[in-house]
PDB file of all heavy atoms in Angstrom:
ATOM      1  N   GLY B 238      28.908 -14.076  53.314  1.00 81.00           N
ATOM      2  CA  GLY B 238      30.073 -14.579  52.563  1.00 81.00           C
ATOM      3  C   GLY B 238      29.626 -14.984  51.230  1.00 81.00           C
ATOM      4  O   GLY B 238      30.497 -15.679  50.506  1.00 81.00           O
ATOM      5  N   LEU B 239      28.459 -14.682  50.741  1.00 84.00           N
ATOM      6  CA  LEU B 239      28.043 -15.194  49.400  1.00 84.00           C
ATOM      7  C   LEU B 239      28.259 -14.098  48.382  1.00 84.00           C
ATOM      8  O   LEU B 239      27.965 -14.340  47.218  1.00 84.00           O
ATOM      9  CB  LEU B 239      26.594 -15.718  49.537  1.00 84.00           C
ATOM     10  CG  LEU B 239      26.376 -16.937  50.244  1.00 84.00           C
ATOM     11  CD1 LEU B 239      24.923 -17.191  50.502  1.00 84.00           C
ATOM     12  CD2 LEU B 239      27.046 -18.144  49.545  1.00 84.00           C
ATOM     13  N   GLY B 240      28.444 -12.853  48.799  1.00 77.00           N
ATOM     14  CA  GLY B 240      28.501 -11.805  47.775  1.00 77.00           C
ATOM     15  C   GLY B 240      29.923 -11.409  47.469  1.00 77.00           C
ATOM     16  O   GLY B 240      30.731 -12.097  47.010  1.00 77.00           O
ATOM     17  N   THR B 241      30.241 -10.123  47.881  1.00 77.00           N
ATOM     18  CA  THR B 241      31.567  -9.559  47.685  1.00 77.00           C
ATOM     19  C   THR B 241      32.584 -10.335  48.565  1.00 77.00           C
ATOM     20  O   THR B 241      32.214 -10.867  49.585  1.00 77.00           O
ATOM     21  CB  THR B 241      31.510  -8.103  48.092  1.00 77.00           C
ATOM     22  OG1 THR B 241      30.284  -7.609  47.876  1.00 77.00           O
ATOM     23  CG2 THR B 241      32.575  -7.341  47.272  1.00 77.00           C
ATOM     24  N   LYS B 242      33.819 -10.419  48.125  1.00 76.00           N
ATOM     25  CA  LYS B 242      34.894 -11.139  48.841  1.00 76.00           C
ATOM     26  C   LYS B 242      35.771 -10.062  49.493  1.00 76.00           C
ATOM     27  O   LYS B 242      35.995  -8.953  48.814  1.00 76.00           O
ATOM     28  CB  LYS B 242      35.625 -12.050  48.017  1.00 76.00           C
ATOM     29  CG  LYS B 242      34.844 -13.170  47.511  1.00 76.00           C
ATOM     30  CD  LYS B 242      35.735 -14.189  46.680  1.00 76.00           C
ATOM     31  CE  LYS B 242      34.893 -15.064  45.868  1.00 76.00           C
ATOM     32  NZ  LYS B 242      35.210 -15.151  44.423  1.00 76.00           N
ATOM     33  N   PRO B 243      36.390 -10.171  50.631  1.00 76.00           N
ATOM     34  CA  PRO B 243      37.250  -9.229  51.146  1.00 76.00           C
ATOM     35  C   PRO B 243      38.470  -9.273  50.214  1.00 76.00           C
ATOM     36  O   PRO B 243      38.812 -10.231  49.526  1.00 76.00           O
ATOM     37  CB  PRO B 243      37.669  -9.884  52.549  1.00 76.00           C
ATOM     38  CG  PRO B 243      36.862 -11.019  52.797  1.00 76.00           C
ATOM     39  CD  PRO B 243      36.157 -11.367  51.517  1.00 76.00           C
ATOM     40  N   PRO B 244      39.317  -8.183  50.189  1.00 78.00           N
ATOM     41  CA  PRO B 244      39.217  -7.005  50.996  1.00 78.00           C
ATOM     42  C   PRO B 244      38.336  -5.834  50.377  1.00 78.00           C
ATOM     43  O   PRO B 244      38.431  -4.731  50.837  1.00 78.00           O
ATOM     44  CB  PRO B 244      40.598  -6.519  51.102  1.00 78.00           C
ATOM     45  CG  PRO B 244      41.224  -6.927  49.667  1.00 78.00           C
ATOM     46  CD  PRO B 244      40.493  -8.030  49.267  1.00 78.00           C
ATOM     47  N   GLU B 245      37.564  -6.206  49.328  1.00 80.00           N
ATOM     48  CA  GLU B 245      36.756  -5.198  48.661  1.00 80.00           C
ATOM     49  C   GLU B 245      35.907  -4.480  49.721  1.00 80.00           C
ATOM     50  O   GLU B 245      35.275  -5.168  50.537  1.00 80.00           O
ATOM     51  CB  GLU B 245      35.748  -5.825  47.608  1.00 80.00           C
ATOM     52  CG  GLU B 245      36.445  -6.348  46.472  1.00 80.00           C
ATOM     53  CD  GLU B 245      37.194  -5.334  45.685  1.00 80.00           C
ATOM     54  OE1 GLU B 245      36.755  -4.229  45.582  1.00 80.00           O
ATOM     55  OE2 GLU B 245      38.254  -5.705  45.008  1.00 80.00           O
ATOM     56  N   PRO B 246      35.830  -3.140  49.665  1.00 83.00           N
ATOM     57  CA  PRO B 246      34.961  -2.386  50.541  1.00 83.00           C
ATOM     58  C   PRO B 246      33.455  -2.474  50.100  1.00 83.00           C
ATOM     59  O   PRO B 246      33.223  -2.256  48.873  1.00 83.00           O
ATOM     60  CB  PRO B 246      35.520  -1.022  50.492  1.00 83.00           C
ATOM     61  CG  PRO B 246      36.161  -0.845  49.245  1.00 83.00           C
ATOM     62  CD  PRO B 246      36.617  -2.214  48.753  1.00 83.00           C
ATOM     63  N   GLU B 247      32.713  -3.089  50.916  1.00 83.00           N
ATOM     64  CA  GLU B 247      31.314  -3.135  50.577  1.00 83.00           C
ATOM     65  C   GLU B 247      30.561  -3.086  51.864  1.00 83.00           C
ATOM     66  O   GLU B 247      30.924  -3.684  52.830  1.00 83.00           O
ATOM     67  CB  GLU B 247      30.860  -4.280  49.731  1.00 83.00           C
ATOM     68  CG  GLU B 247      29.579  -4.428  49.012  1.00 83.00           C
ATOM     69  CD  GLU B 247      28.397  -4.917  49.768  1.00 83.00           C
ATOM     70  OE1 GLU B 247      28.747  -5.626  50.800  1.00 83.00           O
ATOM     71  OE2 GLU B 247      27.274  -4.646  49.476  1.00 83.00           O
ATOM     72  N   TRP B 248      29.426  -2.291  51.947  1.00 85.00           N
ATOM     73  CA  TRP B 248      28.829  -2.067  53.334  1.00 85.00           C
ATOM     74  C   TRP B 248      28.408  -3.337  53.965  1.00 85.00           C
ATOM     75  O   TRP B 248      28.681  -3.436  55.251  1.00 85.00           O
ATOM     76  CB  TRP B 248      27.687  -1.141  53.070  1.00 85.00           C
ATOM     77  CG  TRP B 248      28.008   0.275  52.659  1.00 85.00           C
ATOM     78  CD1 TRP B 248      29.272   0.816  52.734  1.00 85.00           C
ATOM     79  CD2 TRP B 248      27.283   1.152  51.946  1.00 85.00           C
ATOM     80  NE1 TRP B 248      29.246   1.999  52.165  1.00 85.00           N
ATOM     81  CE2 TRP B 248      28.017   2.298  51.670  1.00 85.00           C
ATOM     82  CE3 TRP B 248      25.909   1.259  51.531  1.00 85.00           C
ATOM     83  CZ2 TRP B 248      27.554   3.390  50.927  1.00 85.00           C
ATOM     84  CZ3 TRP B 248      25.430   2.356  50.836  1.00 85.00           C
ATOM     85  CH2 TRP B 248      26.211   3.377  50.568  1.00 85.00           C
ATOM     86  N   GLY B 249      27.786  -4.241  53.320  1.00 81.00           N
ATOM     87  CA  GLY B 249      27.367  -5.400  54.066  1.00 81.00           C
ATOM     88  C   GLY B 249      28.557  -6.254  54.511  1.00 81.00           C
ATOM     89  O   GLY B 249      28.501  -6.785  55.696  1.00 81.00           O
ATOM     90  N   LEU B 250      29.546  -6.363  53.700  1.00 81.00           N
ATOM     91  CA  LEU B 250      30.721  -7.106  54.032  1.00 81.00           C
ATOM     92  C   LEU B 250      31.440  -6.457  55.202  1.00 81.00           C
ATOM     93  O   LEU B 250      32.020  -7.041  56.283  1.00 81.00           O
ATOM     94  CB  LEU B 250      31.707  -7.240  52.867  1.00 81.00           C
ATOM     95  CG  LEU B 250      32.909  -8.147  52.984  1.00 81.00           C
ATOM     96  CD1 LEU B 250      32.459  -9.544  53.222  1.00 81.00           C
ATOM     97  CD2 LEU B 250      33.770  -8.046  51.814  1.00 81.00           C
ATOM     98  N   MET B 251      31.469  -5.101  55.204  1.00 83.00           N
ATOM     99  CA  MET B 251      32.112  -4.331  56.271  1.00 83.00           C
ATOM    100  C   MET B 251      31.477  -4.560  57.566  1.00 83.00           C
ATOM    101  O   MET B 251      32.075  -4.784  58.630  1.00 83.00           O
ATOM    102  CB  MET B 251      32.163  -2.797  55.940  1.00 83.00           C
ATOM    103  CG  MET B 251      33.164  -2.463  54.846  1.00 83.00           C
ATOM    104  SD  MET B 251      32.737  -0.944  54.043  1.00 83.00           S
ATOM    105  CE  MET B 251      33.263   0.209  55.312  1.00 83.00           C
ATOM    106  N   LEU B 252      30.212  -4.617  57.575  1.00 81.00           N
ATOM    107  CA  LEU B 252      29.367  -4.909  58.705  1.00 81.00           C
ATOM    108  C   LEU B 252      29.716  -6.231  59.324  1.00 81.00           C
ATOM    109  O   LEU B 252      29.857  -6.360  60.481  1.00 81.00           O
ATOM    110  CB  LEU B 252      27.880  -4.801  58.358  1.00 81.00           C
ATOM    111  CG  LEU B 252      26.800  -4.502  59.384  1.00 81.00           C
ATOM    112  CD1 LEU B 252      27.149  -3.157  60.093  1.00 81.00           C
ATOM    113  CD2 LEU B 252      25.440  -4.653  58.844  1.00 81.00           C
ATOM    114  N   ASN B 253      29.844  -7.182  58.405  1.00 80.00           N
ATOM    115  CA  ASN B 253      30.265  -8.475  58.816  1.00 80.00           C
ATOM    116  C   ASN B 253      31.595  -8.545  59.517  1.00 80.00           C
ATOM    117  O   ASN B 253      31.715  -8.997  60.634  1.00 80.00           O
ATOM    118  CB  ASN B 253      30.273  -9.442  57.493  1.00 80.00           C
ATOM    119  CG  ASN B 253      30.554 -10.954  57.992  1.00 80.00           C
ATOM    120  OD1 ASN B 253      30.584 -11.243  59.182  1.00 80.00           O
ATOM    121  ND2 ASN B 253      30.823 -11.699  57.001  1.00 80.00           N
ATOM    122  N   THR B 254      32.610  -7.899  58.894  1.00 81.00           N
ATOM    123  CA  THR B 254      34.028  -7.979  59.506  1.00 81.00           C
ATOM    124  C   THR B 254      34.112  -7.237  60.739  1.00 81.00           C
ATOM    125  O   THR B 254      34.814  -7.538  61.571  1.00 81.00           O
ATOM    126  CB  THR B 254      34.998  -7.652  58.502  1.00 81.00           C
ATOM    127  OG1 THR B 254      34.613  -6.389  57.931  1.00 81.00           O
ATOM    128  CG2 THR B 254      35.153  -8.628  57.280  1.00 81.00           C
ATOM    129  N   LEU B 255      33.360  -6.062  60.769  1.00 82.00           N
ATOM    130  CA  LEU B 255      33.485  -5.198  61.986  1.00 82.00           C
ATOM    131  C   LEU B 255      32.662  -5.766  63.216  1.00 82.00           C
ATOM    132  O   LEU B 255      32.735  -5.315  64.321  1.00 82.00           O
ATOM    133  CB  LEU B 255      32.981  -3.745  61.585  1.00 82.00           C
ATOM    134  CG  LEU B 255      34.003  -2.948  60.992  1.00 82.00           C
ATOM    135  CD1 LEU B 255      33.274  -1.686  60.313  1.00 82.00           C
ATOM    136  CD2 LEU B 255      35.060  -2.549  61.879  1.00 82.00           C
ATOM    137  N   ARG B 256      31.805  -6.820  62.898  1.00 80.00           N
ATOM    138  CA  ARG B 256      30.982  -7.307  63.993  1.00 80.00           C
ATOM    139  C   ARG B 256      31.781  -7.743  65.173  1.00 80.00           C
ATOM    140  O   ARG B 256      31.380  -7.688  66.299  1.00 80.00           O
ATOM    141  CB  ARG B 256      29.965  -8.372  63.398  1.00 80.00           C
ATOM    142  CG  ARG B 256      29.943  -9.664  64.078  1.00 80.00           C
ATOM    143  CD  ARG B 256      29.258 -10.583  63.054  1.00 80.00           C
ATOM    144  NE  ARG B 256      30.130 -11.152  62.212  1.00 80.00           N
ATOM    145  CZ  ARG B 256      30.543 -12.449  62.286  1.00 80.00           C
ATOM    146  NH1 ARG B 256      30.083 -13.235  63.238  1.00 80.00           N
ATOM    147  NH2 ARG B 256      31.279 -12.991  61.471  1.00 80.00           N
TER     148      ARG B 256
END
Side-chain angles (χ1 to χ4, degrees):
Chain B
L239 290 169
T241 330
K242 293 181 199 132
E245 290 299 327
E247 198 268 341
W248 296 336
L250 186 64
M251 286 161 72
L252 202 59
N253 182 11
T254 51
L255 277 168
R256 132 188 85 103

